[in-house]
Amino acid sequence: MHLKRQKSIPIGIWQALKSTTKTLKPKKITTGSEWAERNFYLTTNDAAEPGRFTFDRCPWQKEILDALSDNVHEFVALKCSAQVGKTTLLTIDILRAADEQPGGFAVLFPALHSATSYSQDRFDPAIEVSPGAKGVFHEHKYGRSENTKYVKKFTGGQVRFITANSSSAMKSKPIARLYCEEVNEYPFDVSGQGAPLDIALKRTIAFEGVRKVFLNSTPTTEKYGLIESWYARGTQKECYVPCPECGHYQTLSDLQFRYEGTKPEQVKKVDYECVECKALWPESAKFEIISRYEWRAKNPDALVDSYSVWQAYNLGNSWVEIVREYLRVKDDPEKLKTYWNQTLNKSWVDRSETDWTRVYDRRESYPVGVAPKDCLVLTGAIDVQKDRYEVLVCGHTRTHEIYVIDYFFIDGGPQNEAAKTRVADFCRARYQRADGHDLELNAVAIDSGYETQSVYELARRINSEKVFVTKGQNNFLAPAVHAPSYVDLNYKGEKIKNGVKLWPVGVSQLKGEVSSRLRLRPEVEKTDAGEVQKFPPHYLHFPQFDEDFFKSLCSESIVQTQKKHGAKKVSAAWVKHYDRNEVFDLMVLTLFLSRVLGLDRFTDSLWDSQEKAISGATSHRANVTNAPRPAQRTSRVISRGVELD
Ligand SMILES: [Zn+2]
């Protein structure tokens, strides 16, 4: 019901009246699929055949639309190829919710151009033609001035089109329905405030229990992007169809396509081989079998409702064309990657990406123990083992590149007094920079996962603001950095001044960031003086360490695991390929420190004053290398391992 305020009614009374009307007559919420068939029209921008929306081509879209309108799942994730109607589903749900469950909505796009083109080419035309949007969106009631390209007002709310590279837009208002478009394209971090999705999700917390978050993306070349991770955490629904011969339900896979020819023009027809009875079905059988689809969940109890689907399921798409496209791109690695992502809905796993030798081959020639001159901030990370402390020292630059400067062991574990003294000494160490100036450690993180009490005791002894005692949080949603808790309380339960603070570290996210950063490659620029390497922001630099260091650095990757027992069978986990993962953990702590120090928020003038403080400091050559040097390597391996739910 849409009321229009008469000028004679004061606004306050009007609002009261309006809310009473709402309480008296709650609007009936239809399922998303019912609403779509009744109220939504396609334009020429959506489909080759504009007109009233139907599920003829993609009958399986019904469940996804219903999941968006139900009260069961707060989170719905869709991992899909292009051409399965993803954007249409988005538009339908926004229009339906504006009509039936109005409130503050936002659509988070990876970049401004995608927000602009969605607004102009898809959203505005849909409002024009869809009867379900008529009278709901203000544009039609009050004229265009009410709405801008990025804010569309409707009775009882508005939908804002925001971008993942602007934290201010995300922060402005609480969000009851959040639509996250192409999440795999979001930047790591938005102006040092954290991951865009985290920031936006925080705006939905006021609506916990009644919010709706819809995340979607095609997979990308990232080995394990956001959509893969959300899909894996969810119900993992795939679309099963029955074999016309034996009735066996199976998912459609490009691996079962059978055809003749090696060139695109030679392929005249594509048959499908049943995985069960090996019968060949002609493509024409798809109309029958897809109409008998069933979404089947691998992990039905999950809190996130997640779906995966690809082009072959769209009855408007020809399987012959899918095969021809493959033959066109198969010899071009870049195009083939795109084909995997956009057509097959598969993440491109470049096996060599996890290969430690790739990173090993990029080692640089700067000396160990000396910070390159771009380094302005120095951090230390300490991992506690039974018989030693492992230490990683890194320099941070203005462009958020990180130089690994030193890696060594302090022999003797938490029970060894001399070792504790050497750790305390290390926290006060200074390192020399290539230009002769000294850098002092700005922050040191000590992981308290092992021998917790001993680490607390060590932190009390060092008693420095620079020391961060950390504890890994092993769940996927844990933010990278979170407020610390106080370990030291007095008898009244009050926190003790200078007591130990325990910092939770969202290791899952930071591990993902380490992996992504390891995939960055320098660009080679040709100049008159020869080839020059240009390093991208966030690049990780390594000196000439030995192979063990790089094996440990690349020791984990995220994979889906299938557990034999228990109801929740499938989950994603960081899994070790190499027994020693300490360097990977130390890198995670280093990224934690860069976040907690707020380096990504540093303005130019802050960096300038940091540089001034360093170059103004007198160089104390004698003190420069009082950092403990690498002790003898032990060959013993104590692996705690890290697994995530
Ligand atoms: Zn069969």
Side-chain angles (χ1 to χ4, degrees), residues 308-601:
S308 173
V309 68
W310 67 290
Q311 280 193 15
Y313 286 94
N314 182 339
L315 292 169
N317 275 349
S318 140
W319 290 357
V320 171
E321 262 317 304
I322 293 174
V323 170
R324 285 180 180 161
E325 180 63 15
Y326 167 72
L327 295 172
R328 270 193 285 273
V329 302
K330 71 178 173 44
D331 298 322
D332 180 331
E334 276 310 306
K335 285 184 180 159
L336 189 57
K337 276 185 189 182
T338 311
Y339 176 82
W340 268 57
N341 303 150
Q342 298 284 333
T343 306
L344 302 182
N345 184 32
K346 288 182 181 173
S347 316
W348 178 262
V349 182
D350 185 349
R351 297 208 173 277
S352 54
E353 295 280 7
T354 52
D355 184 354
W356 61 270
T357 59
R358 284 284 187 99
V359 189
Y360 182 82
D361 290 345
R362 293 205 306 267
R363 293 181 306 167
E364 293 164 53
S365 57
Y366 61 87
V368 175
V370 177
K373 70 170 173 31
D374 292 345
C375 295
L376 293 168
V377 167
L378 201 62
T379 59
I382 302 178
D383 188 61
V384 184
Q385 299 286 323
K386 191 177 175 191
D387 60 350
R388 66 188 187 278
Y389 295 91
E390 293 207 6
V391 184
L392 186 76
V393 179
C394 292
H396 302 251
T397 74
R398 277 176 195 258
T399 50
H400 315 297
E401 288 164 61
I402 293 177
Y403 284 88
V404 172
I405 292 166
D406 209 353
Y407 170 60
F408 56 90
F409 298 175
I410 294 175
D411 275 346
Q415 305 308 329
N416 182 314
E417 278 306 306
K420 281 187 182 175
T421 308
R422 292 188 67 196
V423 172
D425 286 346
F426 163 75
C427 293
R428 289 183 286 273
R430 300 172 81 86
Y431 273 72
Q432 194 183 353
R433 203 167 68 169
D435 59 2
H437 293 297
D438 284 0
L439 289 178
E440 60 178 56
L441 282 160
N442 298 85
V444 176
I446 308 180
D447 180 41
S448 71
Y450 177 73
E451 288 276 353
T452 307
Q453 291 307 323
S454 152
V455 172
Y456 292 168
E457 198 272 318
L458 180 59
R460 286 180 201 114
R461 187 190 300 191
I462 301 167
N463 189 20
S464 163
E465 288 282 307
K466 288 182 194 173
V467 173
F468 293 81
V469 177
T470 64
K471 171 123 180 31
Q473 301 288 299
N474 287 335
N475 91 50
F476 264 96
L477 273 183
V481 178
H482 205 260
S485 56
Y486 288 81
V487 170
D488 290 334
L489 304 172
N490 65 18
Y491 70 97
K492 287 183 188 162
E494 296 158 342
K495 41 196 185 196
I496 294 170
K497 206 181 163 205
N498 300 331
V500 173
K501 279 183 255 178
L502 186 61
W503 292 81
V505 177
V507 286
S508 176
Q509 292 202 12
L510 291 173
K511 282 180 173 185
E513 188 177 333
V514 172
S515 300
S516 303
R517 285 184 177 219
L518 286 174
R519 285 195 292 276
L520 296 173
R521 299 264 184 281
E523 271 176 39
V524 177
E525 254 184 22
K526 285 188 181 138
T527 66
D528 297 340
E531 288 186 346
V532 180
Q533 281 197 320
K534 234 186 122 195
F535 297 103
H538 300 100
Y539 187 80
L540 302 177
H541 300 262
F542 301 96
Q544 303 279 322
F545 284 143
D546 63 11
E547 295 184 358
D548 281 346
F549 177 89
F550 292 92
K551 286 178 186 166
S552 180
L553 176 70
C554 303
S555 59
E556 293 190 21
S557 67
I558 200 158
V559 293
Q560 285 192 34
T561 55
Q562 188 116 26
K563 286 175 190 149
K564 291 251 159 67
H565 306 289
K568 291 178 183 122
K569 292 193 188 67
V570 184
S571 64
W574 285 94
V575 170
K576 284 198 291 183
H577 321 290
Y578 185 65
D579 212 12
R580 293 189 36 199
N581 61 347
E582 292 83 3
V583 175
F584 189 56
D585 286 347
L586 289 167
M587 211 66 220
V588 165
L589 286 184
T590 302
L591 290 188
F592 161 78
L593 288 173
S594 80
R595 291 283 182 87
V596 92
L597 291 172
L599 298 188
D600 282 2
R601 287 195 297 277

Side-chain angles (χ1 to χ4, degrees), residues 242-248 250 273-279 281:
C243 168
E245 298 289 328
C246 71
H248 177 76
Q250 55 204 288
E273 186 183 310
C274 169
V275 290
E276 184 71 14
C277 71
K278 312 291 173 204
W281 337 320

Side-chain angles (χ1 to χ4, degrees), residues 144-213:
R144 259 176 203 283
S145 60
E146 277 283 318
N147 285 322
T148 67
K149 212 181 284 174
Y150 307 111
V151 180
K152 312 287 180 186
K153 292 184 179 171
F154 49 82
T155 310
Q158 60 178 353
V159 55
R160 289 179 302 130
F161 300 150
I162 57 182
T163 55
N165 45 25
S166 158
S167 62
S168 55
M170 275 181 254
K171 283 182 167 171
S172 57
K173 287 200 173 73
I175 302 168
R177 297 183 80 81
L178 175 64
Y179 301 89
C180 305
E181 282 288 288
E182 292 298 344
V183 295
N184 276 21
E185 289 172 24
Y186 290 176
F188 284 144
D189 184 287
V190 40
S191 35
Q193 314 276 305
L197 184 57
D198 290 349
I199 299 174
L201 284 176
K202 275 186 195 150
R203 307 308 302 159
T204 67
I205 283 170
F207 298 96
E208 210 170 333
V210 293
R211 67 184 156 181
K212 187 67 88 174
V213 179

Side-chain angles (χ1 to χ4, degrees), residues 20-142:
T20 324
T21 320
K22 268 189 187 162
T23 18
L24 288 177
K25 287 187 181 174
K27 193 147 194 173
K28 186 185 169 290
I29 296 171
T30 46
T31 63
S33 54
E34 282 168 17
W35 191 94
E37 284 181 313
R38 205 178 303 151
N39 297 301
F40 191 71
Y41 276 66
L42 295 164
T43 68
T44 43
N45 293 340
D46 298 310
E49 297 157 24
R52 184 184 278 275
F53 174 82
T54 71
F55 290 102
D56 291 351
R57 283 167 178 244
C58 303
W60 40 265
Q61 283 179 337
K62 281 181 192 163
E63 279 73 8
I64 303 174
L65 275 174
D66 291 349
L68 290 172
S69 63
D70 73 18
N71 294 320
V72 183
H73 295 100
E74 285 181 53
F75 296 92
V76 179
L78 173 61
K79 175 167 88 76
C80 63
S81 68
Q83 302 197 27
V84 294
K86 176 167 67 70
T87 309
T88 303
L89 296 178
L90 168 78
T91 311
I92 291 173
D93 194 66
I94 294 173
L95 298 192
R96 183 203 58 77
D99 183 22
E100 302 188 328
Q101 298 165 283
F105 308 162
V107 189
L108 184 58
F109 292 94
L112 189 64
H113 66 86
S114 40
T116 311
S117 78
Y118 176 72
S119 173
Q120 292 175 340
D121 304 335
R122 307 296 291 269
F123 195 79
D124 287 347
I127 299 182
E128 293 290 336
V129 300
S130 294
K134 288 252 156 72
V136 176
F137 280 82
H138 283 194
E139 207 160 35
H140 300 270
K141 288 171 102 179
Y142 306 112

